[in-house]
Amino acid sequence: MSKKILLLAGDYAEDYETMVPFQFLLGLGYEVHAVCPGKKAGETVATAVHDFEGEQTYSEKRGHNFSLNHDFEAVNSADYAGLVIPGGRAPEYLRLNPRVIEIVREFDAAAKPIAAVCHGAQLLAAADVLRGRRCSAYPACAPDVRAAGGDYADIAVTDAVTSGHLVTAPAWPAHPAWLRQFVELLGARITL
């Protein structure tokens, strides 16, 4: 099986939800291709840091520039073992791109592991891959999950849920659970 992972990014993807899985998977020895429609390797996407500070929803601050390392147009889903979909504001407009939707559907049809966090569920809903599956997301995305036929998993912000080849979580505080479950779906085992 391929040791390549595809990460779908876009401007104002959530900073932690982009950089942490990218670096984590690289650290485990995976080759991670970070791509964005309309951008090429060497270009960047702006990120946003979402924080939970007691208001009714998250706050947003400008994050880092995240460097892309692969061309979106060169993506062939068959080359990858899994897909990572960060949250933030990027999924809201990435779901308008027909090729992005096609990529998500290709991974789903091949039953390859898909890890989506926070607003990443917007891409899953738009790709119509949630029917009959449990899916967590940022609570504001619960209507999207339900409208797409998914069973919204209202879990703690530090938890993740696996449903078939799909692993989802509400936000970046779930990274330990979310990434552990994704790596398990990829077939990797980490022992101490």
Side-chain angles (χ1 to χ4, degrees):
M1 171 155 307
S2 172
K3 287 187 67 177
K4 291 181 185 174
I5 305 294
L6 183 66
L7 186 145
L8 285 172
D11 282 320
Y12 294 100
E14 209 289 328
D15 192 286
Y16 300 147
E17 295 168 2
T18 306
M19 186 61 77
V20 172
F22 180 78
Q23 291 179 331
F24 176 80
L25 292 164
L26 286 175
L28 291 180
Y30 289 95
E31 181 180 347
V32 183
H33 288 173
V35 300
C36 175
K39 296 192 181 196
K40 298 195 176 298
E43 294 184 274
T44 63
V45 294
T47 68
V49 175
H50 292 161
D51 211 347
F52 309 99
E53 301 175 301
E55 289 83 18
Q56 293 178 327
T57 191
Y58 57 84
S59 63
E60 183 174 79
K61 297 152 190 79
R62 176 69 163 86
H64 298 91
N65 289 329
F66 176 75
S67 294
L68 304 167
N69 63 359
H70 195 71
D71 293 349
F72 179 78
E73 286 72 26
V75 169
N76 177 354
S77 300
D79 295 340
Y80 299 96
L83 173 65
V84 175
I85 304 172
R89 285 191 283 138
E92 179 181 276
Y93 67 86
L94 288 177
R95 64 186 168 173
L96 302 176
N97 183 298
R99 179 62 185 134
V100 168
I101 296 302
E102 187 176 74
I103 288 168
V104 174
R105 288 179 177 160
E106 289 167 358
F107 275 87
D108 183 64
K112 291 183 179 183
I114 299 172
V117 63
C118 199
H119 288 73
Q122 291 176 317
L123 280 182
L124 301 176
D128 195 24
V129 300
L130 291 178
R131 292 192 191 288
R133 294 196 178 132
R134 272 191 96 212
C135 177
S136 183
Y138 187 69
C141 296
D144 300 87
V145 171
R146 291 183 183 116
D151 174 21
Y152 176 70
D154 186 9
I155 58 177
V157 73
T158 55
D159 289 339
V161 62
T162 296
S163 183
H165 57 273
L166 179 66
V167 58
T168 55
W172 59 259
H175 278 339
W178 180 62
L179 290 170
R180 184 186 73 250
Q181 290 177 40
F182 181 57
V183 168
E184 288 171 357
L185 285 178
L186 291 168
R189 299 290 176 254
I190 300 171
T191 59
L192 298 177

